[in-house]
Amino acid sequence: MGRPTMDDVAARAGVSRALVSLVMRDSPKVSAHRRRAVLAAAKDLGYQPHLMARSLAGGTSDIVGVMVSDLRNTFFADVVEGMDAAAREAGLELILNTGRRSPTRERTALESLLAFRPGGIVLLSPVLPASAIREAAQQSPVVLVSRSSTAPEIDTVNDDGETGSALAVDHLVRLGHRRIVHLDGGGASTSAARRRGYRDAMRRHGLEPMVLPSEHTDSAGMAAVRKLLNLFSHGNFPTALVCGNDFNAIGAMSALEEAGLRIPRDVSVVGYDNTSLAALRHLSLTTVDQPRVTMGRLAVEALAERLREGRTDPVRHRVEPTLVVRATTAPIPLTDNDIPPHQ
């Protein structure tokens, strides 16, 4: 037997195909008695409505396409968790794919999502050119998460990256650190704001900023620390690192430990995102928290407002980061030169 159809459900329930269609679209025009009969027949047959066909027939779509920048980064898993909860409440369905942080692959992934004729698209920290995103927004409402846009047809959800980096620097300065290096997030859409926040905070404290190019990966964090080891002798090595994200911080910690440097005794490390990895006991990473689940909910709610309420003005959600202090930061140790003479 092939896949059951709407006609099969209609025959089993003893109703018309049109009535089955109304039930599958959750129309209020169907009586409770007939709705129960149709749903029971659909369950008996194992019938599942074809979402794309239903969208084409109705002229609107309950599908939300989601492109995840990096499937390995648990930050995005938390954002999608918030999206899923909000989508269920709004009667929307999510479909996901990834572009693996490649502009070419992201363009292909975006085209695949648009082929479903979705009601909207959510792009999580894309590296696509702005022009490609605006082209997509001409076909379907678009929400950007962890990337900014000034286009009126695009909604955005971001954290305040400048404030987040400043929280990290302020915390380290309070602990006595002065040689604080920022491992940059490279081409990531959030990097510029976090870099500005670091530099501004360092200058506010009268300290000289040092930004080392890196990426939002563990391998890039390891490579950046190895470069630092070549640049500095053991005696004047930086006492603290503000890393582009948690993955970068974990890679940096691995390279520090390989070099025989103790965390936080020799070097304090701060990440960004507060992913589930950061809270693991053997890592216990001090990090800047973004309310990831909330960001996912806000993205879907923004789409629902455009789809269901007809909103046309853009929304610019900006959530506030907080610092979560764990075991990878500590006061800078005193040296012999730092100990005051006895009176």
Side-chain angles (χ1 to χ4, degrees), residues 194-230:
R194 295 177 189 180
R195 187 166 53 242
R196 284 194 304 271
Y198 160 79
R199 283 180 168 149
D200 290 347
M202 290 288 284
R203 289 169 180 147
R204 175 163 44 83
H205 289 291
L207 303 175
E208 186 64 30
M210 178 179 178
V211 176
L212 194 66
S214 190
E215 295 287 344
H216 281 173
T217 64
D218 52 351
S219 58
M222 294 178 70
V225 166
R226 288 166 182 160
K227 185 174 182 179
L228 283 174
L229 291 167
N230 290 328

Coordinates of all heavy atoms in Angstrom, one line a residue, residues 194-230:
R194 N 32.2 42.8 19.1 CA 32.9 42.3 20.3 C 34.4 42.9 20.3 O 34.9 43.2 21.3 CB 33.0 40.8 20.2 CG 31.6 40.1 20.4 CD 31.6 38.6 20.3 NE 30.2 38.1 20.2 CZ 29.9 36.9 20.2 NH1 30.8 35.9 20.1 NH2 28.6 36.5 20.1
R195 N 34.9 43.1 19.1 CA 36.3 43.7 19.0 C 36.2 45.1 19.5 O 37.1 45.6 20.2 CB 36.7 43.6 17.5 CG 38.1 44.0 17.3 CD 38.6 43.6 15.9 NE 37.7 44.0 14.8 CZ 37.0 43.2 14.0 NH1 37.1 41.8 14.2 NH2 36.2 43.6 13.1
R196 N 35.2 45.9 19.0 CA 35.1 47.3 19.5 C 34.9 47.4 21.0 O 35.5 48.2 21.7 CB 33.9 48.0 18.8 CG 34.1 48.3 17.4 CD 33.0 49.3 16.9 NE 31.7 48.7 17.1 CZ 31.0 48.0 16.2 NH1 31.6 47.7 15.0 NH2 29.8 47.5 16.4
G197 N 34.1 46.5 21.5 CA 33.9 46.5 23.0 C 35.1 46.2 23.8 O 35.4 46.9 24.8
Y198 N 35.9 45.3 23.3 CA 37.2 45.0 23.9 C 38.1 46.2 23.9 O 38.7 46.6 24.9 CB 37.9 43.8 23.2 CG 39.3 43.7 23.5 CD1 39.8 43.1 24.7 CD2 40.3 44.1 22.5 CE1 41.2 43.1 24.9 CE2 41.6 44.0 22.7 CZ 42.1 43.5 23.9 OH 43.5 43.4 24.2
R199 N 38.3 46.8 22.7 CA 39.3 47.9 22.5 C 38.8 49.1 23.4 O 39.7 49.7 24.0 CB 39.3 48.3 21.0 CG 40.2 47.3 20.2 CD 40.2 47.7 18.8 NE 41.3 47.0 18.0 CZ 41.2 46.7 16.7 NH1 40.1 47.1 16.0 NH2 42.2 46.0 16.1
D200 N 37.5 49.4 23.3 CA 37.1 50.6 24.1 C 37.3 50.3 25.6 O 37.7 51.3 26.3 CB 35.6 50.8 23.8 CG 35.4 51.3 22.4 OD1 36.3 51.7 21.7 OD2 34.2 51.3 21.9
A201 N 37.0 49.2 26.1 CA 37.1 48.9 27.5 C 38.6 48.9 27.9 O 38.9 49.5 29.0 CB 36.6 47.5 27.8
M202 N 39.5 48.4 27.1 CA 40.9 48.4 27.4 C 41.4 49.9 27.5 O 42.1 50.3 28.4 CB 41.7 47.7 26.3 CG 41.5 46.2 26.4 SD 42.3 45.4 27.8 CE 44.0 45.4 27.3
R203 N 41.0 50.7 26.5 CA 41.4 52.1 26.5 C 40.8 52.9 27.7 O 41.5 53.8 28.3 CB 41.1 52.8 25.2 CG 41.9 52.2 24.1 CD 41.4 52.7 22.7 NE 42.3 52.2 21.6 CZ 41.9 51.8 20.4 NH1 40.6 51.9 20.1 NH2 42.7 51.3 19.5
R204 N 39.6 52.5 28.1 CA 39.0 53.2 29.2 C 39.8 52.9 30.5 O 39.8 53.7 31.4 CB 37.5 52.7 29.3 CG 36.8 53.1 30.6 CD 35.3 53.0 30.4 NE 34.9 51.7 29.9 CZ 34.8 50.5 30.6 NH1 35.1 50.5 31.9 NH2 34.4 49.4 30.0
H205 N 40.4 51.7 30.6 CA 41.2 51.4 31.7 C 42.7 51.8 31.6 O 43.5 51.5 32.4 CB 41.2 49.9 32.0 CG 39.8 49.4 32.5 ND1 39.4 49.7 33.7 CD2 38.9 48.6 31.9 CE1 38.2 49.1 33.9 NE2 37.9 48.5 32.8
G206 N 43.0 52.5 30.5 CA 44.3 53.0 30.3 C 45.3 51.9 29.8 O 46.5 52.0 30.0
L207 N 44.7 50.9 29.2 CA 45.5 49.7 28.8 C 45.6 49.7 27.3 O 44.8 50.2 26.5 CB 44.9 48.4 29.3 CG 44.7 48.3 30.8 CD1 44.0 47.0 31.2 CD2 46.1 48.4 31.5
E208 N 46.7 49.0 26.8 CA 46.9 48.9 25.3 C 46.2 47.7 24.8 O 46.5 46.6 25.2 CB 48.4 48.8 25.0 CG 48.8 48.9 23.6 CD 48.4 50.2 22.9 OE1 48.4 51.2 23.6 OE2 48.1 50.1 21.7
P209 N 45.3 47.8 23.9 CA 44.6 46.7 23.3 C 45.6 45.8 22.4 O 46.5 46.4 21.8 CB 43.5 47.2 22.5 CG 43.4 48.7 22.8 CD 44.7 49.1 23.3
M210 N 45.3 44.5 22.4 CA 46.0 43.7 21.4 C 45.0 42.7 20.9 O 44.5 41.9 21.6 CB 47.2 43.0 22.0 CG 47.9 42.0 21.0 SD 49.3 41.2 21.7 CE 49.8 40.2 20.2
V211 N 44.7 42.8 19.6 CA 43.8 41.9 18.9 C 44.5 40.9 18.1 O 45.3 41.3 17.2 CB 42.7 42.7 18.1 CG1 41.8 41.7 17.4 CG2 41.9 43.6 19.0
L212 N 44.3 39.6 18.3 CA 45.0 38.6 17.5 C 44.0 37.9 16.6 O 43.0 37.4 17.1 CB 45.6 37.5 18.4 CG 46.6 36.6 17.7 CD1 47.9 37.4 17.3 CD2 47.0 35.5 18.7
P213 N 44.2 38.0 15.3 CA 43.2 37.3 14.4 C 43.0 35.9 14.7 O 43.9 35.1 15.0 CB 43.9 37.5 13.0 CG 44.8 38.7 13.1 CD 45.3 38.6 14.6
S214 N 41.7 35.5 14.7 CA 41.4 34.1 14.9 C 40.0 33.8 14.3 O 39.6 34.5 13.4 CB 41.3 33.8 16.4 OG 41.2 32.4 16.7
E215 N 39.4 32.7 14.7 CA 38.0 32.4 14.1 C 37.2 31.8 15.3 O 37.8 31.4 16.3 CB 38.1 31.4 13.0 CG 38.8 31.9 11.7 CD 38.0 32.9 10.9 OE1 36.8 32.9 11.2 OE2 38.5 33.6 10.1
H216 N 36.0 31.5 15.0 CA 35.1 31.0 16.0 C 35.1 29.4 16.0 O 34.1 28.8 16.0 CB 33.6 31.4 15.8 CG 33.4 32.8 16.3 ND1 32.2 33.5 16.1 CD2 34.2 33.7 17.1 CE1 32.3 34.7 16.7 NE2 33.4 34.8 17.3
T217 N 36.3 28.9 16.1 CA 36.5 27.4 16.1 C 37.5 27.1 17.2 O 38.4 27.9 17.5 CB 36.9 26.9 14.8 OG1 38.2 27.4 14.4 CG2 35.9 27.2 13.7
D218 N 37.5 25.8 17.6 CA 38.5 25.4 18.6 C 39.9 25.3 18.0 O 40.9 25.7 18.6 CB 38.1 24.1 19.2 CG 37.8 23.0 18.2 OD1 37.7 23.3 17.0 OD2 37.6 21.8 18.6
S219 N 40.0 24.9 16.7 CA 41.3 24.8 16.1 C 41.9 26.2 15.9 O 43.1 26.4 16.0 CB 41.1 24.1 14.7 OG 40.2 24.8 13.9
A220 N 41.1 27.2 15.6 CA 41.6 28.6 15.5 C 42.1 29.1 16.8 O 43.1 29.8 16.9 CB 40.5 29.5 14.9
G221 N 41.4 28.7 17.9 CA 41.8 29.1 19.2 C 43.2 28.5 19.6 O 44.1 29.2 20.2
M222 N 43.4 27.3 19.2 CA 44.7 26.6 19.5 C 45.8 27.3 18.6 O 46.9 27.6 19.2 CB 44.6 25.2 19.1 CG 43.7 24.3 20.0 SD 43.6 22.6 19.5 CE 45.2 22.0 19.9
A223 N 45.5 27.6 17.4 CA 46.5 28.2 16.5 C 46.8 29.6 17.0 O 48.0 30.0 17.0 CB 45.9 28.3 15.1
A224 N 45.9 30.4 17.5 CA 46.1 31.7 18.0 C 47.1 31.7 19.2 O 48.0 32.5 19.4 CB 44.8 32.4 18.4
V225 N 46.8 30.8 20.1 CA 47.7 30.7 21.3 C 49.1 30.2 20.9 O 50.1 30.8 21.5 CB 47.1 29.7 22.3 CG1 48.1 29.3 23.4 CG2 45.9 30.3 23.0
R226 N 49.2 29.3 20.0 CA 50.6 29.0 19.5 C 51.3 30.1 18.9 O 52.5 30.3 19.1 CB 50.5 27.8 18.5 CG 50.1 26.5 19.2 CD 49.6 25.4 18.2 NE 49.2 24.2 18.9 CZ 48.5 23.3 18.4 NH1 48.0 23.4 17.2 NH2 48.1 22.2 19.1
K227 N 50.6 31.0 18.2 CA 51.2 32.2 17.7 C 51.6 33.1 18.9 O 52.7 33.7 18.8 CB 50.2 33.0 16.8 CG 50.8 34.2 16.1 CD 49.9 34.8 15.1 CE 50.5 36.0 14.4 NZ 49.6 36.6 13.4
L228 N 50.8 33.3 19.9 CA 51.2 34.1 21.1 C 52.4 33.5 21.7 O 53.3 34.3 22.2 CB 50.0 34.1 22.1 CG 48.9 35.0 21.8 CD1 47.8 34.8 22.8 CD2 49.3 36.5 21.8
L229 N 52.5 32.2 21.8 CA 53.7 31.6 22.4 C 55.0 31.9 21.6 O 56.1 32.0 22.2 CB 53.5 30.1 22.5 CG 52.5 29.6 23.5 CD1 52.1 28.1 23.2 CD2 52.9 29.8 24.9
N230 N 54.9 32.1 20.3 CA 56.0 32.5 19.5 C 56.3 34.0 19.6 O 57.5 34.4 19.4 CB 55.8 32.2 18.0 CG 55.8 30.7 17.8 OD1 56.5 29.9 18.5 ND2 55.0 30.2 16.9

